[in-house]
Amino acid sequence: MARHPFRFGVVVRKAESGRAWAERARLVEDLGFSTLLVPDHVLGPRFAPIAAMTAAAAATTTLRVGTLVFANDYRHPVVLGKELATVDVLSDGRLDVGLGTGWMRADYDGAGLPFDPPKERFERFAEAIEVLRGVWSDGPFSFEGKHYRITDLVQEPKPLQKPFPKLLLPGGGPKMLRLAGRYADYVNLTLRVKADGTAPDETDGGLDAFLRKVELIREGAGDRFDQIEIGTSVQQVGVPAEKETWSAVNTSRQDSTPQVLLGDTAQMVDKLRYWRDEHGLSYYVLHNDKDLDTFAPVVKELAGS
């Protein structure tokens, strides 16, 4: 099992102005986080991801920018591929591409988008990865799939990162985890979501289920498993309290996983070291930037080690 250095990201959703957004990005960089990530939902108080990533990259020098995660159903991968190649060039190769199927039913209903069954959304997503890799490669690209058909397309600019920008995939269910093993540079372990898109699946969760997800990545990855940086979103930090948690997640079954880090800095550091050294999880995303002050000492202690 590879022992990757610790890496930390943080999800930042919005700011009151362009200046405030730039200041937030520089703070995240100064605190030692490697990556600023933005979500992708139609509803709610969130910046649109491509503009937000570009502005954050322009305000910083080493900070990587990315998404947790683009919803594939909202954009054709040819269009998204050109946008992302442009961001990669403008950021000097600091782009991480987080991509998922799309899952939150309220987004689809609010925007009038069809919410297809999980099998169809997953198949379309798997094709989209192939299309993105194709349009980022040299030479004319053609593709004939169930959902996308591309003919002799030569698209520019090409990404600065070779062969492709880093790919971050979420992993909750078995098919997604095995696909992540095949393609991802980073995997963010999540809870499986309900087929109807209303919330995370309450039957998922707990230590055994969490560890099984790592093994599913291994099954999909084969010989490339040690190249993948695996981690998860940290949804609760510090002392036990009534805290906001992301989306509709119930963290009560996650206390034994690194998604919940309770206690003082030393206790949080010790828990993350255990999970990296024993189970290979090295990339942690703080899912609420309101917790920056609490989590920053952990990042200072562990980042890069």
Side-chain angles (χ1 to χ4, degrees):
M1 180 177 64
R3 188 173 182 269
H4 295 283
F6 280 105
R7 180 195 300 271
F8 294 95
V10 58
V11 175
V12 185
R13 292 164 177 80
K14 65 184 292 290
E16 297 306 313
S17 65
R19 176 177 291 181
W21 181 255
E23 290 173 350
R24 197 66 167 169
R26 286 191 287 269
L27 174 63
V28 167
E29 183 178 57
D30 291 344
L31 289 174
F33 287 85
S34 68
T35 315
L36 183 150
L37 297 154
V38 291
D40 185 26
H41 290 290
V42 176
L43 303 179
R46 304 171 179 93
F47 278 165
I50 293 171
M53 286 191 300
T54 304
T60 55
T61 56
T62 62
L63 186 70
R64 298 186 68 81
V65 294
T67 45
L68 196 66
V69 292
F70 279 116
N72 179 62
D73 284 350
Y74 302 168
R75 302 168 187 83
H76 194 288
V78 166
V79 177
L80 182 62
K82 189 175 182 73
E83 294 278 359
L84 294 179
T86 302
V87 174
D88 197 53
V89 171
L90 294 178
S91 68
D92 297 321
R94 289 185 280 138
L95 173 67
D96 290 342
V97 179
L99 188 67
T101 61
W103 72 273
M104 198 166 81
R105 181 64 181 265
D107 275 346
Y108 290 79
D109 291 347
L113 297 171
F115 187 74
D116 295 322
K119 181 176 184 294
E120 186 168 352
R121 285 184 286 123
F122 177 80
E123 290 174 348
R124 183 163 51 238
F125 167 72
E127 285 191 13
I129 293 175
E130 295 288 351
V131 172
L132 285 171
R133 290 162 65 97
V135 299
W136 288 335
S137 299
D138 294 330
F141 172 65
S142 297
F143 182 85
E144 185 76 19
K146 178 181 177 182
H147 301 281
Y148 303 112
R149 292 168 179 82
I150 318 298
T151 304
D152 295 332
L153 179 64
V154 178
Q155 193 172 80
E156 295 182 358
K158 299 299 182 185
L160 198 62
Q161 297 179 82
K162 302 298 180 187
F164 313 111
K166 299 291 188 181
L167 182 63
L168 185 158
L169 297 183
K175 289 195 297 184
M176 183 65 84
L177 288 160
R178 291 190 181 99
L179 188 76
R182 181 178 175 187
Y183 288 111
D185 298 285
Y186 317 123
V187 182
N188 183 273
L189 298 179
T190 67
L191 292 177
R192 187 175 61 246
V193 297
K194 292 182 178 179
D196 64 4
T198 57
D201 188 341
E202 64 273 6
T203 64
D204 194 10
L207 179 60
D208 290 343
F210 192 83
L211 291 173
R212 173 59 180 154
K213 291 172 184 179
V214 177
E215 294 309 307
L216 288 167
I217 296 169
R218 189 189 299 272
E219 290 177 13
D223 291 342
R224 69 180 298 272
F225 179 74
D226 283 346
Q227 301 172 30
I228 303 170
E229 294 181 52
I230 301 173
T232 192
S233 294
V234 178
Q235 299 172 27
Q236 190 172 354
V237 299
V239 297
E242 293 296 324
K243 283 180 172 282
E244 291 183 52
T245 54
W246 77 275
S247 188
V249 171
N250 178 356
T251 60
S252 62
R253 299 182 64 193
Q254 304 304 100
D255 285 355
S256 57
T257 78
Q259 293 179 323
V260 175
L261 298 177
L262 302 181
D264 59 21
T265 298
Q267 290 171 306
M268 291 189 281
V269 164
D270 286 347
K271 187 171 184 177
L272 292 186
R273 280 188 173 136
Y274 166 81
W275 274 94
R276 195 273 304 273
D277 296 345
E278 296 297 322
H279 301 294
L281 272 72
S282 60
Y283 183 18
Y284 294 94
V285 175
L286 182 64
H287 218 89
N288 193 333
D289 68 323
K290 293 180 180 178
D291 291 323
L292 273 176
D293 289 345
T294 303
F295 199 61
V298 176
V299 176
K300 182 178 180 181
E301 179 76 17
L302 292 177
S305 65

